[in-house]
Amino acid sequence: MKRFVIGNWKCNKNIDDARRWFDTFASLYRPAPGVEVIIAPSFICLADLAVHVKGLGLDTVSLAAQDVSPFPKGGYTGAIAADMVRGLADYVIAGHSERRRYFHETVQDVVNKVHEAVDFGLRPVLCVEPAAAMSQLAPLTDIDCEKMIIAYCPADPLTFRIPESPDKVREGIGFIAEMHPNRAIVYGGSINLDNAAEYLALSGLSGVMVGAASLEAKSFAGICNLAGTH
């Protein structure tokens, strides 16, 4: 089973910060067979990092857009269409709880974003929450994208920085696997270097999605190196 470690920087780091982060990360990360690292920087960093990552020789590291427009290119001021991201990133995060909560994104908005991403060759990382997992997943059951990743991201651990117990995570990924048996599933919710190994060891889990702990290159490299041993 392929393993994924996803770092979501959210609204942090300018281009210089991002370059320094990758320079440090490259010196500490130990690539392992079957492990792919995905970093989601801010949009302003994507174009620069697409070049910088290649220059560092980080062949097992991919970039992701933190979001994408639910609409194609056109008269949508401030939006960034999937077609504009193609060539800069391989993945796009869709449906993160912060987007649903603070930007009032609906299930249909997320469905549209996933379809836009897939149409232009981007691999969605679809975030779902326990209480709404069925309604968030059902409209995408037939989507033609075998490489889509489902991120099980309970809202409370993201808000209060207290990770959900491994038993609860096991229960959640089991429910998702029943609906999407062939999808990679990762857990996101207050993952850090101290607790990552416990979650990486869970049967049926393909990896982790890291928020705050991904902002520091040393701790994130440590999590990535752990993934190569589980």
Side-chain angles (χ1 to χ4, degrees):
M1 179 175 65
K2 190 169 185 178
R3 312 284 281 176
F4 299 93
V5 182
I6 304 171
N8 180 14
W9 288 357
K10 306 185 181 184
C11 189
N12 292 285
K13 298 190 185 300
N14 59 30
I15 293 174
D16 289 339
D17 294 334
R19 279 173 159 262
R20 284 192 292 268
W21 187 99
F22 268 102
D23 291 343
T24 302
F25 177 80
S27 70
L28 299 170
Y29 173 50
R30 302 293 176 261
V35 176
E36 182 174 358
V37 175
I38 303 168
I39 303 295
S42 63
F43 273 123
I44 64 169
C45 297
L46 266 181
D48 185 89
L49 290 180
V51 176
H52 193 61
V53 170
K54 288 182 181 178
L56 290 172
L58 293 171
D59 297 333
T60 59
V61 176
S62 301
L63 295 178
Q66 292 183 16
D67 187 37
V68 74
S69 174
F71 307 111
K73 289 191 296 187
Y76 304 100
T77 300
I80 297 178
D83 189 22
M84 299 163 69
V85 175
R86 181 173 52 172
L88 302 179
D90 295 312
Y91 294 87
V92 60
I93 298 173
H96 195 282
S97 63
E98 292 164 355
R99 297 291 312 179
R100 297 181 194 265
R101 179 181 304 176
Y102 301 126
F103 297 89
H104 311 294
E105 289 185 358
T106 66
V107 170
Q108 189 59 54
D109 289 332
V110 177
V111 170
N112 292 347
K113 290 181 178 192
V114 170
H115 280 289
E116 283 294 312
V118 172
D119 285 348
F120 290 101
L122 297 169
R123 304 172 189 173
V125 179
L126 175 65
C127 301
V128 299
E129 303 168 67
M134 183 170 289
S135 64
Q136 292 170 354
L137 286 169
L140 295 165
T141 301
D142 298 325
I143 189 169
D144 185 20
C145 181
E146 62 181 25
K147 294 183 178 180
M148 182 172 76
I149 299 171
I150 298 176
Y152 172 69
C153 299
D156 285 348
L158 294 172
T159 302
F160 301 110
R161 300 202 175 180
I162 301 174
E164 193 166 76
S165 72
D167 286 341
K168 288 288 289 182
V169 172
R170 188 182 292 109
E171 180 182 328
I173 63 176
F175 174 77
I176 293 170
E178 288 181 4
M179 295 186 68
H180 290 266
N182 299 315
R183 304 287 191 196
I185 304 171
V186 301
Y187 167 67
S190 294
I191 292 292
N192 56 51
L193 185 56
D194 293 330
N195 63 27
E198 190 173 15
Y199 294 93
L200 288 167
L202 289 177
S203 176
L205 198 66
S206 297
V208 291
M209 188 171 183
V210 186
S214 72
L215 296 176
E216 205 279 308
K218 183 176 180 180
S219 64
F220 188 71
I223 295 171
C224 295
N225 294 338
L226 280 173
T229 65
H230 287 75

